[in-house]
Amino acid sequence: MKRLRAMGFAAILVGFGLMAGTPCARAEEQLDLNQASFEEIMKLPISIEDARAIWEHREYISYFNSVYEIRALPGFTQEEFDKIKPLVKIVSVPVDDEELRRANEIYYRIRNWEAEEGASEALVDYWIDLAKDPVNINSASYWDIANLQQLSPPDAAAIYNYTRRNQIERRTQLRNVPGLTYWGYYNARNFVRYDEPPATGGPRGSYQYRVYNTFVLFDVEEILREDRNLADGAYDSWWDRLGLDYMGPAYQHKVRTRWRQDIRAGALVYHGLGGGDDIDAFKLHVEIKNRQLGPLHFDSIILGSYQVGFGQGLVMQNTDYFKSRNSGFGWDKRYIGILGDISPTQEYQLAGIATEIDVGPTRTILFYSDDWKDAVLNPDGSANQYIIMTPRIDNSTLEAGGLRPMRDVLHEQLYGANFKYIFGPGTWVGLSGYEARYNKYFKAAYDPDGASDVTWIVDDDNEDNLAAIDSEYFSTYTSPGKFRRVYGLEYQWVHENFSFAGEYAGLDADGDLFKFKDDPKALVLNGYASYSNLTLLALYRDYDVEFDNPYNRGFAEYRRFKGTILEDPYYLTDPLYSLMSVHSATPQAERGLYLNSRFRVSHKMTPSIEFDVWERKADGADYGRVLLRLRYQPIYNIVMNLRQKWQGRLGTDWLTPMSYEQVETRFRLEYRLSKFDEVEFLLARSWIKWPPRPRLSDNVEADGGHPEIGLAAMPSYAIGGAVTHNFNEFLRVTASLIYYDGFLWIFEDGQFTVRDSKSLRYWIAISDRISDHLAIRFRWTNDHANPLTYVDAREYNENPTGNPEPDGWYVRDDINTFRLQLDYSW
C-alpha cells in the first residue's frame, strides 16, 4: 500500500514537472526577432519572401516593438501570422547612445525644426544641437536658460534663482519650480538635463543637403517679369534676360560638428535660385565655449561667420529676413548674444571675430567683421542702399542691361560692442554701438540742396506720382564721411512674474558722436506679465524716418519702403530697384502701441488677441490691426482654430487720404487619428476694399478720360485640406489640396508661401528617417493656375478704338516645384 502511494505521489510530481517545464522550454525556443540572423528567421515556417520582409524591416526601418507589427508587413496573411506567433518574441533593444536616444524621443520635433529656413535658421541649428546634447540646468548660466526656445525672462529668472539654492534632479522637480509657468516648463524640458554630460565621447555632427526651385514671394517673380522697355514697343524683362523659365534650383550644403559642449564648428555653401555659376554664400565658423583666463570668463569665442543680437534689435541683429511684429517673445524669440551662423543670410552676414566675456557683474560682447556687400550705387558712384538680389545677378549682366554694378561693390568693416551691468538674474542696464567703415560715401537719392536728383531711379514721366510716403526712401542716410555710427542704451528688469525692457538707439548723422540732439532716433519699450493661464504683452515703438540703420530689426508691422514708389516697379527706370522694398530687412518708421494676450480658459478653450494702432511716420497715415484667435478642443482628437483679422488705414491724413479696409477669416479643423495621423480642413475668406485711386486709374473728368479699368474691392477665397499618415514613427506622408482665388498665404510643410492667382494647388510631402543617422524629406507642388497676364491695364484707360477691352493670355498653366532635403548625423 505504501509502495502504491509512493508511486502515485511520484507520478503527480513528474506530471507537475512536465507541465511546469513546458513553458520554460517554449520560452527557450522562441526566437527574438530583434536579434535573430537572417538564417535563423528562414528556419521559421514561412516563405523566403516573408523571412526577408522581417529581416529588412528590422535592418532598414526600425526594431520591432510588438509581435503584432509582423502582421502589418507586406505579404503576411493572418494564417501565416498565427503560425509563427507562438515561435517568436520581441525583446526591446536598449539604445546605448544617449544622444541617439534623445533624438528618438523627440524626433517629431526635430523633424519640423530641420525643415526651418529663413530668419531663425541659425537659432534652430542651436536648438537642435541643444535638444540632442542638453545643458545641465543646475550649472547653466542665466543666458543659457534665457536663450531656450520660447522661454520668457520671468521664467528664465525663476529657474536660475531656484538652481542657485537647490538641485533639480528630475522633470517633476523642474515643473514645481516656484514662479515657473507651465508654458515655460513645457518649452524648457526638452533642452535641459539634470547632471553633467559625459566627459568622454568623440565629435558629433550633422550634414544637410537642401535643393529647391520655389519662389517664396510672389512679388519677386512679378518684379522679374515686369517689362523694362514698354515705351520702345519691345517686351524686355529680367526674367527673359536671365532665362528663368529654365532656371537652376537653389541648393545648399551645410555641415555642423561639435566636441562635447566645448567646441562647435560649421560650414555652408549656398547657391541661390536662378543664379549663375557663382556661389552666393560660403560660410565657415569655429566656436570655443567656456574658457577661463584669470578673472575673465569667455563664454564664447567665434572665428568666422556669426550672428549677434541684443536689446530690442534696434542697434544690431544681423539677418537678411524681416519678420513682422518681432517682439522677442514666444515664436519671435530673439537670441541674446553671439551665435555661429551658417544660415543662408548673405547680405547682412558678419564675418570676422566675436566674443562674449563675463567679469563679475558685467557682460561684454565684442565683434568685428570685414565683408563685401551688394548695394545700389548713385550715378556719381556713391552708395545709395544695401540691396538683397534674388537672384544675385553678376555685374557684367547688370551692365549689359544698362545698370550700374551692384554685386559686392560695398566694402564694410564693422566694429561693435555691447556692455551690460547686471544687477540680478534678468535685470541689467547696457550700452551698445557699432561703427561701419566703407569704401564709398552714402548719399540719399534726393538731396534738398540740389546735389542729386531722382531721375536715375524714377522714370521722368512718373515723377508726378511721387507722394508724401516716398520721403521714407528719399530721407535715407547721407554720410558725413565713409562711415556709419549707431549707438544705443538698453535695460531689462524682472520682478517675480513681470518683466520690463526697452532700448533707445541713435544714428550719428553729422559725424559728431557727442551731439545727440539732431541725430535720428528709435525707441522700443515693452512690459510682459506671465501667469499659469494668462500672458500679457504691451509694446511701444517710435522710429524716426531718418533712422536708417541697416542692422535694425526692431518691432514693426511693415518693412521699410512699404507703400513707397519702390513698391511699383512700373514707375522706376528699372524694375530691379523694387527689390530694395520687397527684400528690405529693416522696419518701417512707425509710432504705435501693440498689445498681445493669451488666456487659457480651460483645457478645451484658449482665446488670444492682438491689438495694434500705429502711425506711419513718413506721411502721418494712421493704421489699425485687430487679430482674434480661438482654439477650441471639445475632445482630444478634434481641434478647431478660428482666426479673425481686421486691418486698415484710416483716411484722416490729408497727406495720404487713400484708405483701405481688410477683413480676413480663417477656420481650420484638425481631426486627429491614431498613431498621430491627422486630417485637416481649411476655409479662408478675405476682403480688401478702398476708395478710387487716381494713381492706378484715370479720373472721370471732362477731359475725355474713361477709367474702364478700376478696382474698388478685392475678394479672396480659399478652401482645402490635408491628410497626414504615419506609416511608423519615422515615415510620414502628407498630401494637401487647396483651391484659392486671390491672395493666399500658407505654410506648406514648414515653408511659408505667398501666392496671388486663381488656382488649384496641391502638394505631397514625404519624410522618412531611413536609419538612425539618415533622414530624407521631399515635397512636390503643382499650381494649376491662370497666370498673370502682365498687361498694364492703364494703357487701356483711354478706350482706344477697336480695342474696347484689355487683351491678355488667360490659358491655364501648370507650375511644378520641388524641395528635397537630406540630413545625416553622426
Side-chain angles (χ1 to χ4, degrees):
M1 191 63 164
K2 292 181 179 180
R3 181 177 298 177
L4 290 175
R5 289 178 180 175
M7 291 177 62
F9 183 69
I12 292 172
L13 288 177
V14 171
F16 274 110
L18 290 174
M19 292 173 62
T22 302
C24 297
R26 283 186 57 188
E28 292 176 356
E29 294 172 359
Q30 285 182 312
L31 184 66
D32 180 9
L33 292 182
N34 281 336
Q35 299 292 339
S37 65
F38 181 62
E39 289 75 15
E40 290 174 324
I41 298 174
M42 286 184 59
K43 294 179 181 179
L44 295 172
I46 55 176
S47 66
I48 296 178
E49 290 76 14
D50 291 340
R52 185 173 299 278
I54 294 174
W55 184 79
E56 288 181 348
H57 182 278
R58 187 194 71 193
E59 293 296 313
Y60 300 114
I61 299 179
S62 67
Y63 287 109
F64 292 98
N65 295 314
S66 167
V67 68
Y68 294 99
E69 293 180 12
I70 302 173
R71 178 66 184 86
L73 295 178
F76 263 91
T77 63
Q78 185 64 43
E79 292 75 18
E80 292 171 324
F81 174 72
D82 293 338
K83 189 184 301 182
I84 69 168
K85 180 183 175 184
L87 306 177
V88 298
K89 64 181 179 180
I90 303 298
V91 178
S92 61
V93 179
V95 180
D96 296 330
D97 189 328
E98 181 186 0
E99 188 165 312
L100 180 59
R101 176 182 58 79
R102 292 185 63 87
N104 289 341
E105 290 174 354
I106 61 170
Y107 178 69
Y108 66 99
R109 290 180 179 268
I110 293 177
R111 173 168 51 192
N112 294 331
W113 293 340
E114 287 176 337
E116 287 283 340
E117 57 181 307
S120 59
E121 189 167 339
L123 188 53
V124 167
D125 289 341
Y126 167 75
W127 284 336
I128 291 176
D129 287 343
L130 200 59
K132 293 179 179 179
D133 188 14
V135 63
N136 181 2
I137 193 67
N138 295 293
S139 59
S141 69
Y142 170 79
W143 308 102
D144 292 332
I145 300 171
N147 283 320
L148 296 179
Q149 188 186 56
Q150 299 190 58
L151 207 63
S152 68
D155 283 333
I159 295 175
Y160 183 80
N161 286 329
Y162 184 82
T163 56
R164 297 314 95 183
R165 304 183 302 271
N166 304 276
Q167 186 83 6
I168 299 178
E169 298 179 351
R170 61 185 67 87
R171 269 193 180 184
T172 54
Q173 199 172 346
L174 175 65
R175 175 65 187 94
N176 293 319
V177 168
L180 178 63
T181 63
Y182 174 77
W183 188 243
Y185 157 76
Y186 181 83
N187 289 305
R189 60 179 181 166
N190 290 321
F191 300 99
V192 300
R193 62 193 309 149
Y194 310 102
D195 54 9
E196 290 299 327
T200 59
R204 312 300 293 258
S206 65
Y207 163 77
Q208 182 183 91
Y209 173 71
R210 182 185 294 166
V211 57
Y212 60 90
N213 67 342
T214 308
F215 269 115
V216 177
L217 293 177
F218 183 78
D219 290 342
V220 175
E221 183 177 340
E222 190 177 40
I223 289 170
L224 295 173
R225 290 186 182 274
E226 179 70 27
D227 189 2
R228 303 177 63 241
N229 296 298
L230 189 63
D232 296 339
Y235 182 78
D236 179 21
S237 70
W238 283 106
W239 186 277
D240 290 342
R241 279 181 172 265
L242 300 174
L244 295 182
D245 282 329
Y246 309 98
M247 63 180 166
Y251 64 84
Q252 71 176 38
H253 301 271
K254 180 193 294 186
V255 178
R256 294 181 292 126
T257 186
R258 53 197 158 79
W259 182 273
R260 295 194 289 272
Q261 295 184 348
D262 301 323
I263 299 175
R264 301 175 186 270
L268 171 80
V269 174
Y270 174 72
H271 180 277
L273 196 64
D277 297 329
D278 296 336
I279 297 299
D280 289 329
F282 173 73
K283 292 185 176 182
L284 182 69
H285 77 83
V286 176
E287 180 178 8
I288 302 173
K289 301 279 291 182
N290 298 318
R291 290 293 182 268
Q292 195 74 32
L293 183 61
L296 304 179
H297 176 77
F298 290 86
D299 191 65
S300 180
I301 303 171
I302 300 178
L303 298 174
S305 298
Y306 59 90
Q307 287 191 2
V308 59
F310 39 78
Q312 304 300 310
L314 299 184
V315 174
M316 175 60 65
Q317 186 181 353
N318 61 308
T319 173
D320 281 359
Y321 304 92
F322 171 80
K323 192 172 186 179
S324 296
R325 298 172 294 281
N326 187 8
S327 64
F329 291 87
W331 291 108
D332 300 319
K333 184 84 174 186
R334 180 179 290 109
Y335 187 89
I336 303 300
I338 59 175
L339 197 63
D341 176 27
I342 50 173
S343 71
T345 287
Q346 183 273 328
E347 177 70 358
Y348 295 104
Q349 72 163 332
L350 296 180
I353 183 171
T355 185
E356 288 179 281
I357 308 171
D358 294 323
V359 183
T362 66
R363 184 175 181 85
T364 304
I365 300 175
L366 302 172
F367 53 98
Y368 165 77
S369 172
D370 189 323
D371 193 31
W372 286 87
K373 308 295 184 182
D374 297 346
V376 174
L377 301 182
N378 292 305
D380 62 1
S382 60
N384 179 262
Q385 276 291 305
Y386 291 76
I387 186 172
I388 300 174
M389 290 189 290
T390 305
R392 282 191 80 202
I393 306 172
D394 61 77
N395 289 330
S396 60
T397 304
L398 290 170
E399 291 177 299
L403 297 181
R404 287 177 290 279
M406 297 186 195
R407 182 165 175 164
D408 291 336
V409 295
L410 181 66
H411 184 221
E412 177 193 82
Q413 284 187 311
L414 189 145
Y415 311 81
N418 173 255
F419 173 82
K420 290 183 178 71
Y421 185 86
I422 302 168
F423 297 94
T427 302
W428 66 77
V429 294
L431 295 170
S432 58
Y434 77 81
E435 177 175 301
R437 292 278 174 175
Y438 305 112
N439 62 332
K440 299 177 182 295
Y441 288 91
F442 267 84
K443 186 183 294 184
Y446 175 74
D447 187 341
D449 297 329
S452 60
D453 58 55
V454 301
T455 56
W456 66 269
I457 190 167
V458 180
D459 192 273
D460 290 338
D461 297 332
N462 293 311
E463 287 192 52
D464 292 340
N465 289 307
L466 293 175
I469 177 58
D470 297 317
S471 64
E472 184 168 69
Y473 171 61
F474 297 121
S475 299
T476 54
Y477 182 61
T478 296
S479 62
K482 296 181 180 180
F483 63 87
R484 186 190 317 242
R485 297 188 186 122
V486 180
Y487 55 88
L489 172 68
E490 62 165 297
Y491 78 94
Q492 180 172 293
W493 176 46
V494 172
H495 177 67
E496 295 180 348
N497 60 322
F498 300 94
S499 71
F500 302 90
E503 184 175 19
Y504 168 89
L507 171 65
D508 180 17
D510 54 11
D512 190 341
L513 189 58
F514 297 100
K515 290 179 62 177
F516 306 113
K517 184 177 180 180
D518 298 327
D519 289 346
K521 302 171 181 65
L523 174 69
V524 170
L525 302 171
N526 71 57
Y528 179 80
S530 62
Y531 300 87
S532 294
N533 296 311
L534 175 67
T535 61
L536 298 167
L537 171 65
L539 185 147
Y540 174 81
R541 78 277 194 186
D542 188 355
Y543 310 143
D544 288 344
V545 175
E546 296 83 5
F547 185 74
D548 184 14
N549 174 17
Y551 292 100
N552 174 17
R553 302 295 181 270
F555 180 98
E557 287 284 350
Y558 292 134
R559 66 177 76 234
R560 193 170 177 85
F561 307 139
K562 170 74 174 176
T564 69
I565 202 166
L566 292 181
E567 261 197 331
D568 303 323
Y570 39 80
Y571 285 146
L572 307 180
T573 56
D574 194 285
L576 214 58
Y577 292 135
S578 276
L579 292 177
M580 286 190 287
S581 170
V582 172
H583 283 325
S584 174
T586 57
Q588 189 159 62
E590 299 175 355
R591 176 170 53 215
L593 177 66
Y594 170 79
L595 304 174
N596 183 306
S597 181
R598 177 181 180 271
F599 179 48
R600 188 171 181 262
V601 179
S602 67
H603 70 281
K604 294 182 178 181
M605 182 180 296
T606 305
S608 64
I609 182 172
E610 294 181 34
F611 175 81
D612 196 9
V613 288
W614 73 97
E615 173 194 353
R616 188 169 64 183
K617 297 286 288 290
D619 60 351
D622 294 319
Y623 287 79
R625 179 179 182 270
V626 179
L627 175 63
L628 299 177
R629 292 189 182 94
L630 177 64
R631 185 181 188 273
Y632 180 58
Q633 189 173 7
I635 57 177
Y636 172 76
N637 60 332
I638 294 180
V639 181
M640 291 179 280
N641 295 277
L642 179 64
R643 185 182 190 273
Q644 181 69 43
K645 184 180 78 170
W646 296 270
Q647 182 168 327
R649 180 172 64 230
L650 305 180
T652 56
D653 177 37
W654 66 272
L655 286 175
T656 307
M658 291 81 73
S659 63
Y660 78 88
E661 179 184 351
Q662 179 185 14
V663 180
E664 179 182 285
T665 304
R666 284 193 171 215
F667 176 74
R668 185 165 55 89
L669 174 66
E670 302 172 28
Y671 183 51
R672 298 174 177 177
L673 307 173
S674 60
K675 296 183 178 180
F676 297 99
D677 289 356
E678 184 178 277
V679 179
E680 180 180 319
F681 299 96
L682 172 68
L683 180 63
R685 181 185 183 275
S686 66
W687 187 270
I688 305 176
K689 58 182 179 179
W690 45 78
R693 296 179 296 171
R695 188 172 179 174
L696 298 182
S697 61
D698 198 6
N699 284 314
V700 182
E701 295 178 353
D703 60 3
H706 300 280
E708 293 186 350
I709 304 301
L711 194 61
M714 179 183 293
S716 298
Y717 308 91
I719 183 171
V723 178
T724 298
H725 176 59
N726 294 276
F727 290 88
N728 53 53
E729 59 182 317
F730 299 129
L731 175 59
R732 181 179 69 180
V733 176
T734 301
S736 175
L737 174 68
I738 186 168
Y739 173 80
Y740 65 94
D741 183 359
F743 179 81
L744 174 71
W745 61 265
I746 195 170
F747 287 91
E748 296 180 343
D749 193 37
Q751 185 180 44
F752 181 72
T753 302
V754 176
R755 304 299 300 174
D756 190 358
S757 181
K758 184 176 182 180
S759 174
L760 181 66
R761 185 177 180 87
Y762 46 93
W763 55 270
I764 183 169
I766 303 172
S767 64
D768 187 18
R769 190 173 173 190
I770 300 174
S771 69
D772 287 338
H773 302 285
L774 179 63
I776 183 173
R777 59 190 310 133
F778 174 78
R779 187 183 74 241
W780 171 80
T781 303
N782 177 269
D783 204 273
H784 192 56
N786 283 324
L788 291 181
T789 61
Y790 307 105
V791 172
D792 193 336
R794 290 160 298 163
E795 292 296 304
Y796 298 89
N797 283 338
E798 298 306 317
N799 194 9
T801 304
N803 190 9
E805 295 180 353
D807 190 13
W809 184 44
Y810 285 95
V811 300
R812 297 192 64 85
D813 191 20
D814 282 297
I815 303 172
N816 293 288
T817 58
F818 73 93
R819 187 176 187 271
L820 173 66
Q821 180 173 312
L822 296 174
D823 291 279
Y824 179 77
S825 61
W826 64 87

